[in-house]
Amino acid sequence: QVQLVESGGGLVQAGGSLRLSCSASGRTFSTYTMGWFRQGPGKEREFVAYKSWTGKTYYADSVKGRFTISRDDAENTMFLQMNSLKPEDTAVYYCAAARFAITSVRTAYEYWGQGTQVTVSA
């Protein structure tokens, strides 16, 4: 099993920035799409961003222009740089991996981290 661990969450004021990290063990990121999802209080888990092994990136409209996804395959680490944060970004953020699939569909992602809390206050 691939183990994914998120870090970097915390409390930040609106307009601030956070950088989330996702570290993988057990297997490399090669031929995987790495994605970020989030789940706010009382809401379903939703797609945020992904970056495939081919270099393709895709963002949800709600974060486009504010968030940037990147990956360092040599270190088996993925990042989500979050700028201009809004209270509506408050959620538990999860990293996930989808093997041989380039997609934003949650069910395609077979490996998940435990999540890291991001809280944005006004």
Side-chain angles (χ1 to χ4, degrees):
Q1 292 289 133
V2 172
Q3 304 284 334
L4 301 176
V5 180
E6 304 94 339
S7 63
L11 175 65
V12 66
Q13 289 285 320
S17 298
L18 285 173
R19 183 176 173 87
L20 305 183
S21 299
C22 174
S23 180
S25 62
R27 295 172 187 168
T28 72
F29 284 178
S30 298
T31 69
Y32 283 80
T33 291
M34 302 300 300
W36 289 96
F37 294 76
R38 67 186 183 186
Q39 187 166 16
K43 299 181 179 180
E44 295 186 340
R45 195 168 300 183
E46 67 177 2
F47 168 77
V48 175
Y50 72 64
K51 187 168 188 176
S52 75
W53 71 96
T54 67
K56 176 179 172 63
T57 60
Y58 184 71
Y59 298 89
D61 287 342
S62 59
V63 307
K64 193 174 300 180
R66 300 188 298 121
F67 291 11
T68 303
I69 189 170
S70 61
R71 55 193 284 173
D72 184 345
D73 289 353
E75 299 294 330
N76 285 343
T77 305
M78 176 178 62
F79 305 96
L80 185 69
Q81 179 67 46
M82 305 185 295
N83 298 326
S84 302
L85 283 162
K86 306 174 181 179
E88 65 200 57
D89 295 318
T90 295
V92 177
Y93 283 71
Y94 300 88
C95 66
R99 186 176 60 186
F100 291 112
I102 304 175
T103 180
S104 62
V105 177
R106 179 188 175 187
T107 54
Y109 288 79
E110 58 190 306
Y111 302 110
W112 293 84
Q114 292 295 111
T116 185
Q117 177 71 48
V118 172
T119 302
V120 184
S121 61

